[in-house]
Amino acid sequence: VTMADQKAQALEWKAKGNEFLKAKDFAQAIDAYTKAIELDATNHVFFSNRSAAYLSQGEADKALADGEACIKVNPTWAKGYSRKGAALQSLKRFDEAI
């Protein structure tokens, strides 16, 4: 399996995750995004989307970890900071969320 094949498979898992997220099936979405990350951990969007799914499921600590991972992969992408801030707000860590 080539790197290009892995990246393509990862995008398929992301698409499945997006469908699950839209249907509010957060556990399935998290599983799909996790599979995408296992195939391609260089795509910041996978961490961002899984962060959103974790937060929607009430797992702010895991959402925060993924928000931070998103920022680490792509520090210039503003949405990663938004994910981190939303998780910090949910954890009531307001000073850090600014």
Side-chain angles (χ1 to χ4, degrees), residues 11-88:
L11 289 172
E12 289 174 21
W13 280 111
K14 174 191 167 245
K16 289 176 185 176
N18 291 350
E19 291 302 314
F20 288 128
L21 191 61
K22 206 181 304 179
K24 299 192 185 316
D25 187 344
F26 305 122
Q28 289 281 70
I30 290 164
D31 186 52
Y33 295 133
T34 299
K35 288 181 172 133
I37 290 165
E38 287 168 355
L39 288 162
D40 180 12
T42 67
N43 190 322
H44 59 281
V45 176
F46 302 161
F47 290 101
S48 174
N49 290 9
R50 191 172 69 176
S51 177
Y54 276 133
L55 194 59
S56 296
Q57 190 169 275
E59 295 186 68
D61 54 336
K62 291 180 180 177
L64 175 58
D66 273 352
E68 290 174 337
C70 176
I71 291 165
K72 187 174 182 182
V73 173
N74 186 348
T76 64
W77 197 58
K79 198 169 196 178
Y81 296 92
S82 168
R83 297 287 190 219
K84 180 180 178 180
L88 286 168

